[in-house]
Amino acid sequence: CGLPLDTFAYAPKSALNSPPRLISAGRMVRTKGFDVLIKASFEMKRRGLSHSLVIIGDGPQRPELEGLIDSLGLRDIIRLPGYCGPGDVQRALREADAFVLPVVWDPILNIPEGVPVALMEAMAVGLPVVTTRTAGIPELIDDGISGFLAKPGDFADLATVIGCLFEFSDSERIQLTQAARDKIVVDHDIEKLTKDLYFSFLKVIGNPAGE
């Protein structure tokens, strides 16, 4: 699972917007934890943490999420623009201050989310990421070093973790995003992964070129 790194250039922001802009993206299904993110946004508002939030994507959970936004009075903070093409998503990433995807275990289907590629894309372009300690995500993100991990399903903890990111200095954020980019370059460069797979196949079939 990798990215074409020439498409995802590293371009971290030097300072936060005022108020900070949060972004999330993905198919609107339970495993993404978008309902947790919306509740965390409400909790942040209650604590006086100004912010805006855009959740890009569509899916079967969208009506439920829109209803939750309305019930919490968050229309002035949260936008759901629907599906956006890859180019529009990249532009949105570059305008944001953090990517948040509070992945959860689906209690109904009993399946995990795995390691979302959307996290890798945000890490590659230099956007700080906030997600959760579940499935294979801790293998991708070193908490506090290359991103932030909150408790799955805990909107209050998610709000606290996002607030901690807001308190980082500009230099601390750059260190965080550089560590995240380095992780993607080392472990998730699609060109490198493809070459490794190719030579592994050669070794399996006994081709000397694969030695």
Side-chain angles (χ1 to χ4, degrees):
C1 185
L3 301 176
L5 294 183
D6 56 343
T7 303
F8 295 90
Y10 178 65
K13 294 179 65 175
S14 59
L16 292 176
N17 289 294
S18 182
R21 300 175 184 174
L22 306 178
I23 187 172
S24 193
R27 181 165 165 75
M28 291 183 171
V29 292
R30 284 185 295 271
T31 53
K32 302 297 184 183
F34 291 136
D35 57 331
V36 179
L37 177 53
I38 292 168
K39 292 174 184 176
S41 177
F42 177 78
E43 178 66 14
M44 291 169 64
K45 179 180 179 180
R46 189 187 68 80
R47 297 180 189 182
L49 293 173
S50 297
H51 65 286
S52 64
L53 169 61
V54 175
I55 304 176
I56 297 174
D58 209 341
Q61 201 185 20
R62 178 164 184 160
E64 175 186 335
L65 299 177
E66 289 178 333
L68 181 59
I69 291 169
D70 288 337
S71 69
L72 295 176
L74 295 175
R75 282 290 175 184
D76 59 330
I77 293 177
I78 303 177
R79 290 195 304 112
L80 274 58
Y83 171 80
C84 294
D88 291 332
V89 172
Q90 281 212 35
R91 280 188 288 274
L93 290 176
R94 298 192 186 283
E95 293 172 357
D97 294 301
F99 184 87
V100 187
L101 192 65
V103 174
V104 297
W105 189 283
D106 189 322
I108 297 176
L109 300 179
N110 197 31
I111 57 173
E113 171 65 20
V115 182
V117 173
L119 286 175
M120 298 180 190
E121 293 177 351
M123 293 168 70
V125 301
L127 188 59
V129 297
V130 179
T131 182
T132 55
R133 297 182 186 88
T134 189
I137 290 176
E139 298 175 16
L140 175 68
I141 295 172
D142 191 359
D143 190 21
I145 303 299
S146 55
F148 291 93
L149 301 178
K151 299 174 184 176
D154 189 332
F155 70 85
D157 188 58
L158 181 62
T160 297
V161 171
I162 296 171
C164 289
L165 174 60
F166 289 174
E167 294 175 357
F168 261 38
S169 67
D170 295 343
S171 62
E172 286 174 325
R173 280 198 313 278
I174 292 296
Q175 290 178 349
L176 184 89
T177 60
Q178 184 62 65
R181 172 71 182 194
D182 291 345
K183 174 66 175 180
I184 299 302
V185 169
V186 171
D187 292 341
H188 298 284
D189 178 350
I190 193 64
E191 183 174 347
K192 177 180 179 294
L193 293 175
T194 302
K195 287 180 180 178
D196 290 346
L197 182 61
Y198 171 72
F199 285 114
S200 295
F201 279 135
L202 290 181
K203 288 180 180 180
V204 169
I205 64 176
N207 190 322
E211 296 178 358

